[in-house]
Amino acid sequence: MSACLDIRGLSAVLPNGQRVLRSVSLSVQPGEVRALVGESGAGKTMIGKAVLGVLPKSVRVVEGEMLIEGEDLGRLDAKARRTLIGARTALIPQDPLTALNPSRRIASQMTDRLVRILGWSGERADKRIRQLLDEVQIRDPERVLKSYPHELSGGMRQRVLIAAAFAAEPRLIVADEPTTALDVTVQKQILRLIAQLQRDHGTAILFVTHDLGVVAKVSQKVSVLYAGKVVEEAETAQLFAAPQHGYTRALIAATPRYTDPYASLKPVDESVLAGLTAEIAAADKEWRPSHG
Amino acid sequence: MDEARIARRGLSPRLWLAGGWLLLALLAAIFAPLVAPQDPLAQDLMLERLPPFWLDGAEPGYWLGTDSLGRDLLSRLIFGGRIAFIVAFAAATSACLIGSALGLIAGYFGGWADRIISRVVDVWMAFPPVLFAILLVAVLGTGLSSVILAIAIIDWTRFCRVIRAGAMSQARMDYVESARIAGYGRIGIMLREVLPNVLPSVLALLSLEMGIAVIVEAILSFVNLSISTDDPTWGSIIAEGRLSIHQAWWVLVFPLITLILTVLSFSQFGEALKARFDPVLR
Ligand SMILES: Nc1ncnc2c1ncn2[C@@H]1O[C@H](COP(=O)(O)OP(=O)(O)O)[C@@H](O)[C@H]1O
Ligand SMILES: [Mg+2]
């Protein structure tokens, strides 16, 4: 069986030639949650955008392949790529406020995609949306459907977006820090909901986060990203039990433990970072894109 | 919008005062032959320079007095409103349609479309507007349609700039990206996702522009470049009033008040509309 998402040696550069992604390889198997963890600025969002075909204009992919369920995105024309991405993937975004159109009611935003893109009847879409709202435990769907986004709380908006993401039964969901913008109390509920729907629907998720605590809760596999480079990849349990890379060890040491939140935390070790940076700089000097 | 929300936000007095004046003036203009107490063109040398009704020497039926040819001022103002409103609606709507369309394209699509449109706007705005208008009318010839055309040609840039900025900031929002991921086409996103969010600004600006069009028309008729018939316009009444300011101040003051009230009302009405329809303030 082909992987749900397969990224092979993906490199991307900014107009000034600086690399933002350095030969990134990672795969997500069907029904699996793969965490992509790294500090802010590591390029996690960039990878998500590359998968979804919405990289900023200034970022250029210079090498590598991306396959969704075995289909090579690079071999499709723009229209076929859009159709494939639209049908098989969805995004759970970081900021639930700006991800909803402020001037449209929730109902029309949620059904629109099913009706216009997938060609469902309005009735079928409506039924589907209500079912999903029930799954994300929204108790008063009537009110929510009639609301404008700013009339809902952050947690409520994120529930709506989770429901919307799962509504069209995508094979792969990119969840980009889906709890970062939320209150701590709401974060846990939202994580639990995503995990629940993921299991029920058997959807593969590329789960982007900077928080190893979240990684431990939601994912089966992890890729650790530093400066656009995957420095370690492992089964989640394996990664915590026996981290191989110095950077991963440092990252784990810098993460609060729920069992012992008062244990002293070490900031990520300077010498580890210095070593990594030198290693990456050396690799950049050698590096030539394989094509383009 | 449901009733509860309207009640919660209350009815802004600003909206009602401005809207009320505009409605009154508009209805008077539309039904001018019915509501005007006198024929606005009828001269009567026996009745020249009658003062408004509360002063000594006023005649019943000539509420705001008469001008130096004995024509009834109120009736002239009411008929003048016809041209003012025709110009306001036609010119502002044309400017709005041209400017908003170009602004939306420039702001949403960016790239070379934006570069070309923005360049044209810059060049356009380098002309002083009143001179530009006078020049255009000199070229196009006087008359109602030239005045409308001139205002639209000059003022579309106002819409273009505002809508471009709005569309640009909306285009960066995550919901636009989500729509692209879902597979919507660019035009569909522009019309369905971006346009509704810039619409409140368009409405506010449209109303403001109507006020501006009224002023520009008044200025053009003041310098005798507007409608070259005997039909009264607010600008031409002001121009006449200026000549007899010492004998009959009312011929200058009342049209000025009418003009200012109308222009202010248009701008206030626009602001109030924007507040009402802005999705976040709503
Ligand atoms: N629109 C953009 N154009 C150019 N560079 C960008 C853009 N967005 C982000 N970057 C750069 O790309 C790198 C990766 O950013 P990002 O993927 O957002 O990181 P993360 O999501 O891991 O915090 C950062 O160095 C950032 O400065
Ligand atoms: Mg990010």
Side-chain angles (χ1 to χ4, degrees), chain A residues 49 52-55 57 82 85-86 89-91 95 98-105 112-113 116-117 148 150-151, chain B residues 1-2 5 109-111 170 173-178 180-184 186 192-194 196-197 279-282:
Chain A
K49 285 187 197 265
L52 299 169
V54 289
L55 276 177
K57 284 198 193 105
R82 279 262 69 88
I85 291 172
T89 70
L91 171 72
D95 182 350
T98 60
L100 288 164
N101 190 330
S103 65
R104 298 179 62 199
R105 291 177 200 274
D112 218 38
R113 172 171 178 214
R116 285 184 202 281
I117 306 284
Y148 289 92
H150 64 274
E151 293 169 334
Chain B
M1 219 182 308
D2 56 69
R5 206 177 297 130
F109 285 99
Q170 293 299 325
M173 293 289 172
D174 292 348
Y175 66 80
V176 168
E177 187 174 279
S178 296
R180 281 174 60 202
I181 293 169
Y184 288 94
R186 308 257 278 161
R192 223 192 320 275
E193 307 285 333
V194 175
N197 288 295
V280 180
L281 300 177
R282 175 169 51 203

Side-chain angles (χ1 to χ4, degrees), chain A residues 45 94 176-177:
Chain A
T45 297
Q94 174 162 0
D176 191 352
E177 311 234 15

Side-chain angles (χ1 to χ4, degrees), chain A residues 13 106 127 146-147 168 175-176 184 216 247 272:
Chain A
V13 296
I106 300 296
K127 226 172 115 188
K146 268 197 297 193
S147 302
D176 191 352
V184 184
Y247 178 68
V272 173

Side-chain angles (χ1 to χ4, degrees), chain B residues 8-87:
Chain B
R8 208 173 336 117
R9 278 201 299 155
L11 297 165
S12 104
R14 179 166 82 146
L15 183 65
W16 285 103
L17 281 175
W21 168 258
L22 290 176
L23 188 66
L24 187 75
L26 180 64
L27 287 177
I30 291 174
F31 300 106
L34 299 177
V35 292
Q38 311 291 339
D39 176 348
L41 301 177
Q43 306 182 5
D44 186 340
L45 296 183
M46 304 300 291
L47 295 172
E48 73 186 43
R49 294 187 190 133
L50 291 178
F53 69 89
W54 68 88
L55 294 178
D56 287 342
E59 283 282 335
Y62 296 85
W63 296 101
L64 299 181
T66 60
D67 64 13
S68 50
L69 297 175
R71 296 175 296 192
D72 178 45
L73 186 55
L74 177 59
S75 302
R76 290 178 68 72
L77 286 177
I78 290 174
F79 274 89
R82 296 189 131 184
I83 284 167
F85 277 106
I86 290 173
V87 171

Side-chain angles (χ1 to χ4, degrees), chain B:
Chain B
M1 219 182 308
D2 56 69
E3 281 83 359
R5 206 177 297 130
I6 293 177
R8 208 173 336 117
R9 278 201 299 155
L11 297 165
S12 104
R14 179 166 82 146
L15 183 65
W16 285 103
L17 281 175
W21 168 258
L22 290 176
L23 188 66
L24 187 75
L26 180 64
L27 287 177
I30 291 174
F31 300 106
L34 299 177
V35 292
Q38 311 291 339
D39 176 348
L41 301 177
Q43 306 182 5
D44 186 340
L45 296 183
M46 304 300 291
L47 295 172
E48 73 186 43
R49 294 187 190 133
L50 291 178
F53 69 89
W54 68 88
L55 294 178
D56 287 342
E59 283 282 335
Y62 296 85
W63 296 101
L64 299 181
T66 60
D67 64 13
S68 50
L69 297 175
R71 296 175 296 192
D72 178 45
L73 186 55
L74 177 59
S75 302
R76 290 178 68 72
L77 286 177
I78 290 174
F79 274 89
R82 296 189 131 184
I83 284 167
F85 277 106
I86 290 173
V87 171
F89 290 135
T93 309
S94 318
C96 174
L97 288 179
I98 304 169
S100 304
L102 291 175
L104 198 57
I105 291 170
Y108 177 64
F109 285 99
W112 58 264
D114 182 31
R115 276 198 294 279
I116 292 175
I117 292 170
S118 296
R119 194 81 203 106
V120 173
V121 169
D122 288 344
V123 170
W124 228 257
M125 311 241 329
F127 292 101
V130 171
L131 276 184
F132 196 0
I134 291 174
L135 193 76
L136 269 173
V137 171
V139 173
L140 297 168
T142 54
L144 195 55
S145 51
S146 330
V147 171
I148 291 170
L149 201 60
I151 295 174
I153 288 176
I154 295 164
D155 273 354
W156 65 272
T157 51
R158 198 190 302 275
F159 289 88
C160 191
R161 277 172 56 214
V162 171
I163 306 316
R164 172 180 174 269
M168 239 174 177
S169 72
Q170 293 299 325
R172 279 196 293 269
M173 293 289 172
D174 292 348
Y175 66 80
V176 168
E177 187 174 279
S178 296
R180 281 174 60 202
I181 293 169
Y184 288 94
R186 308 257 278 161
I187 309 258
I189 294 177
M190 183 174 83
L191 296 179
R192 223 192 320 275
E193 307 285 333
V194 175
L195 181 58
N197 288 295
V198 296
L199 216 47
S201 318
V202 175
L203 283 179
L205 211 51
L206 178 62
S207 192
L208 179 69
E209 180 64 29
M210 288 183 186
I212 292 171
V214 169
I215 292 191
V216 172
E217 192 280 320
I219 292 174
L220 286 175
S221 30
F222 185 83
V223 298
N224 226 340
L225 269 176
S226 182
I227 326 297
S228 58
T229 64
D230 294 331
D231 288 331
T233 67
W234 292 348
S236 63
I237 302 172
I238 292 171
E240 289 159 15
R242 199 177 54 115
L243 300 176
S244 56
I245 174 79
H246 297 297
Q247 302 86 9
W249 54 264
W250 51 90
V251 186
L252 178 62
V253 169
F254 287 121
L256 272 180
I257 292 176
T258 311
L259 182 70
I260 290 168
L261 269 182
T262 306
V263 171
L264 278 182
S265 294
F266 270 127
S267 82
Q268 288 303 302
F269 189 69
E271 285 303 311
L273 270 188
K274 180 175 176 181
R276 159 140 295 174
F277 286 109
D278 190 292
V280 180
L281 300 177
R282 175 169 51 203

